[in-house]
């Protein structure tokens, strides 16, 4: 009877998508949440909610609710509002293999004023959006440099002068929070990011599962920026909610 019950429990767990572990072992910690950015306090961001920084006139183009970027020149576009504690939902897809983009959180104005084209701000916390083809591209163009310092599933790291204590697992030099799961989809497919920043702690869910993050960010207030980094990328359903 006991064995029969264990089999039944395991079957129910599998059906519900829960981790099954041997008796006496702690279950693996998996935080799943698919936040669609609807409900009280959420607002959808459109053309009026963003300001140019260092792109060309055609770097960023709105087609209805769809935001397209040529990726050229390298640079960012910022929100008009600054944020301290926030939730962000955004869907994105690369239109070319090896595409590179991301969202910067908590970027101060001093990092954006006068920023020339083909440069990224020297402050902020980057939530990376990297196509899986980037690894092969790096191998072919880096002259044999090691490629273990990044992943293509949602790294989080401090940029330039900003500070962050990244969550494990870490990149070899300890500067990046590497994702605990491989959840990103490939070129041409839509990915769903849910980012939560509270009191200097930032966490990322990729396609419904928490994968990376960090705490102790400094500064922990500033603009949200979308990144152009050399390849075409598209965004949609950009939604934000300010938190206390």
């Amino acid at each position: 009877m006991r064995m029969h019950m264990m089999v039944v429990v395991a079957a129910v767990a599998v059906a519900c998508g829960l981790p099954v572990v041997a008796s006496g072992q702690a279950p693996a910690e998996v935080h799943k949440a698919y936040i669609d950015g609807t409900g009280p306090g959420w607002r959808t961001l459109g053309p009026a909610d963003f300001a140019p920084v260092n792109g060309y006139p055609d770097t960023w183009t709105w087609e209805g609710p769809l935001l397209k970027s040529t990726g050229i020149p390298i640079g960012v576009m910022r929100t008009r509002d600054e944020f301290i504690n926030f939730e962000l939902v955004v869907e994105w897809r690369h239109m070319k293999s090896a595409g590179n983009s991301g969202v910067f959180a908590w970027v101060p104005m001093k990092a954006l004023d006068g920023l020339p084209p083909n440069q990224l701000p020297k402050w902020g916390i980057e939530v990376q959006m990297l196509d899986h083809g980037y690894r092969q591209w790096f191998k072919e163009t880096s002259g044999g440099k090691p490629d273990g310092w990044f992943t293509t599933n949602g790294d989080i790291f401090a940029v330039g002068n900003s500070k962050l204590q990244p969550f494990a697992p870490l990149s070899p030099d300890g500067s990046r929070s590497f994702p605990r799961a491989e959840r990103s989809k490939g070129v041409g497919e839509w990915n769903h990011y849910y980012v939560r920043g509270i009191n200097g702690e930032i966490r990322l869910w990729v396609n419904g599962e928490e994968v990376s993050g960090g705490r102790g960010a400094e500064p922990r207030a500033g603009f949200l920026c979308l990144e152009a980094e050399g390849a075409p990328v598209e965004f949609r359903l950009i939604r934000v909610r300010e938190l206390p």
Side-chain angles (χ1 to χ4, degrees):
M1 177 64 73
R2 183 177 180 183
M3 179 59 69
H4 173 72
M5 289 299 296
M6 289 175 64
V7 172
V8 171
V9 171
V12 171
V14 170
C16 294
L18 300 174
V20 179
V21 297
S23 177
Q25 293 182 353
E29 187 177 18
V30 179
H31 295 166
K32 295 187 177 182
Y34 194 92
I35 308 298
D36 64 4
T38 60
W42 285 96
R43 58 189 175 97
T44 300
L45 303 185
D49 298 295
F50 287 92
V53 175
N54 62 339
Y56 297 158
D58 65 346
T59 300
W60 301 94
T61 304
W62 289 91
E63 294 185 1
L66 187 67
L67 175 59
K68 296 184 175 182
S69 176
T70 63
I72 299 171
I74 291 172
V76 295
M77 179 174 65
R78 68 168 176 86
T79 55
R80 293 191 181 275
D81 294 334
E82 294 187 70
F83 296 89
I84 299 175
N85 296 336
F86 68 91
E87 293 174 284
L88 171 72
V89 165
V90 58
E91 293 189 0
W92 61 273
R93 65 177 177 180
H94 284 298
M95 307 307 294
K96 182 179 179 181
S97 180
N100 190 352
S101 185
V103 173
F104 286 72
W106 298 320
V107 181
M109 180 59 83
K110 63 184 177 182
L112 302 172
D113 275 342
L115 187 67
N118 285 312
Q119 289 192 27
L120 295 173
K122 298 299 191 292
W123 299 78
I125 306 301
E126 181 166 354
V127 181
Q128 194 161 61
M129 301 167 172
L130 199 59
D131 179 64
H132 297 312
Y134 190 88
R135 188 169 299 280
Q136 183 62 36
W137 175 87
F138 185 84
K139 289 180 179 179
E140 294 173 356
T141 61
S142 67
K145 294 180 181 178
D147 64 351
W149 56 272
F150 67 89
T151 83
T152 58
N153 285 281
D155 296 5
I156 287 183
F157 52 94
V159 174
N161 299 304
S162 287
K163 307 295 182 184
L164 186 72
Q165 301 168 24
F167 295 153
L170 302 177
S171 59
D173 68 356
S175 66
R176 293 180 173 226
S177 174
F178 273 4
R180 300 191 297 269
E182 297 180 358
R183 299 285 296 169
S184 293
K185 300 176 183 178
V187 62
E189 297 184 87
W190 286 105
N191 287 280
H192 179 280
Y193 269 19
Y194 166 57
V195 183
R196 188 178 71 202
I198 302 176
N199 298 330
E201 179 182 277
I202 190 165
R203 294 175 180 264
L204 167 66
W205 282 253
V206 175
N207 296 319
E209 185 172 330
E210 184 181 357
V211 298
S212 55
R215 62 170 56 92
E218 293 295 346
R220 55 187 64 184
F223 298 97
L224 300 175
C225 297
L226 298 177
E227 180 185 27
E229 197 163 351
V233 61
E234 296 182 353
F235 302 89
R236 68 181 185 186
L237 302 178
I238 309 170
R239 293 167 176 162
V240 68
R241 176 164 64 178
E242 293 188 69
L243 301 173

